[in-house]
Amino acid sequence: MSVDPTRIDLLELDIDLRLADLWREASSIGEWNIEVVAAFMRAAYGKGYCDSLTEESPGMLCAEHGYRVPERRDPTPADF
């Protein structure tokens, strides 16, 4: 990382720290194939989803890194 990291660099680092267990597990995979990649993608998505539900305040990760916090959308009848 550069001496003067960008906000993207810092966001990537924050996400990498949150995914440390997955990175550790990924390093032990001997042979990668589409099924393994798909499993890791699902695990990373699920981890992010769970992390967002447990933040102290909604959108905290975005706000901490200078990104706009997306507005919540109103539920539609299809959501129920």
Side-chain angles (χ1 to χ4, degrees):
M1 187 174 294
S2 69
V3 175
D4 191 22
T6 66
R7 69 182 187 161
I8 292 172
D9 293 332
L10 295 173
L11 177 62
E12 289 174 348
L13 178 59
D14 198 354
I15 292 170
D16 284 346
L17 291 172
R18 292 170 181 232
L19 295 175
D21 291 338
L22 284 176
W23 283 121
R24 194 170 11 268
E25 189 173 336
S27 70
S28 70
I29 302 296
E31 185 175 327
W32 286 85
N33 58 46
I34 193 68
E35 288 84 14
V36 173
V37 171
F40 273 89
M41 289 175 70
R42 286 190 299 272
Y45 181 88
K47 173 77 170 118
Y49 190 84
C50 290
D51 283 356
S52 70
L53 291 173
T54 60
E55 286 182 316
E56 287 183 31
S57 63
M60 194 167 83
L61 178 66
C62 292
E64 284 179 350
H65 290 282
Y67 291 95
R68 181 183 63 80
V69 177
E71 295 290 324
R72 292 189 61 91
R73 64 179 177 83
D74 291 331
T76 64
D79 294 333
F80 299 103

